[in-house]
Amino acid sequence: EHTRKLLGRTTPDPRMRDVELLVRFLSFRKFLPNYRGRMKEFLDDVCQKLTDSWLQSRPAVEADLVEFNSAVDALIEIFGQDELARKPGSKSFNRAIFDVLVFYAADAVIRAAMTAHPKAVNELYAQLMNDIGFAEAVESDTAGIPHTFERLSKWGTGLREKLQVQFNTPELIQRDDGTARIAFDGFR
């Protein structure tokens, strides 16, 4: 229901974009350190892991989906349904922006601070939409590690400063072989 609301649909999406939003959320929420910059592989791997361990994973997935729904409700309250995860002047829903917004809003403490200070959240959003690095990170090569990290880092750091709430944000780890990964152990 919440994903259909996000996509402006009353029926299931024939291209399964509604399901993709949920899988992206669960993947970033639970398996972010496993992300290697290839979205399709990442989502496929997470779906396989969850399928293989469904009996054990189900309660945690169901709890995460409750947080997802609460996050979506809060984000709609803050941004408005027609403006949520959209670049200024665009009617197109941007999954890369949504991933970052819901990643943080799914945490109850951060979400409470966001809903208590919607003006500050909207100011940060406008500020980042004018930030060249952030704008590039939501427009091109959105699946790559550098842009994924850029989005998560800038939005999280901005929220911490605007809302005066302490929480951890992901870190970029450079490896000796020249590759990078995103490290994240949780908000607290």
Side-chain angles (χ1 to χ4, degrees):
E1 170 193 340
H2 283 76
T3 53
R4 290 182 194 160
K5 194 185 307 184
L6 289 171
L7 299 172
R9 299 191 57 86
T10 55
T11 60
D13 189 299
R15 293 179 56 208
M16 295 182 66
R17 289 175 292 207
D18 49 351
V19 174
E20 181 188 355
L21 289 177
L22 290 172
V23 174
R24 288 170 72 110
F25 166 73
L26 292 170
S27 298
F28 282 129
R29 183 166 171 92
K30 292 296 188 189
F31 300 98
L32 181 58
N34 298 344
Y35 186 56
R36 299 290 177 253
R38 298 193 180 279
M39 186 63 71
K40 182 185 180 321
E41 289 174 16
F42 181 53
L43 300 181
D44 287 347
D45 288 348
V46 168
C47 284
Q48 190 63 56
K49 282 178 188 167
L50 292 176
T51 298
D52 291 347
S53 64
W54 184 243
L55 290 177
Q56 298 83 14
S57 302
R58 184 177 178 173
V61 169
E62 288 174 347
D64 287 336
L65 293 178
V66 168
E67 295 300 330
F68 175 89
N69 290 340
S70 295
V72 169
D73 288 340
L75 291 169
I76 288 172
E77 180 183 321
I78 292 165
F79 293 102
Q81 187 167 335
D82 296 334
E83 301 298 318
L84 176 58
R86 287 163 175 84
K87 292 182 270 182
S90 175
K91 297 213 180 293
S92 298
F93 183 83
N94 185 304
R95 292 173 300 190
I97 294 172
F98 180 73
D99 288 341
V100 174
L101 298 177
V102 76
F103 180 81
Y104 289 99
D107 178 83
V109 173
I110 299 169
R111 182 174 59 247
M114 290 174 74
T115 56
H117 304 284
K119 185 177 180 203
V121 174
N122 275 286
E123 287 170 0
L124 173 62
Y125 189 79
Q127 183 182 337
L128 288 177
M129 286 297 130
N130 288 317
D131 178 283
I132 293 168
F134 190 85
E136 186 177 305
V138 299
E139 291 172 4
S140 65
D141 187 28
T142 58
I145 294 273
H147 284 160
T148 301
F149 175 73
E150 180 90 0
R151 291 189 304 272
L152 288 168
S153 177
K154 285 196 173 189
W155 182 251
T157 301
L159 281 176
R160 250 193 340 231
E161 291 169 5
K162 286 274 187 188
L163 303 176
Q164 296 295 299
V165 175
Q166 289 304 309
F167 56 88
N168 297 326
T169 58
E171 296 178 38
L172 188 64
I173 306 295
Q174 295 290 341
R175 295 182 166 162
D176 292 337
D177 65 3
T179 62
R181 73 176 187 88
I182 302 170
F184 186 67
D185 292 329
F187 291 109
R188 279 163 254 316

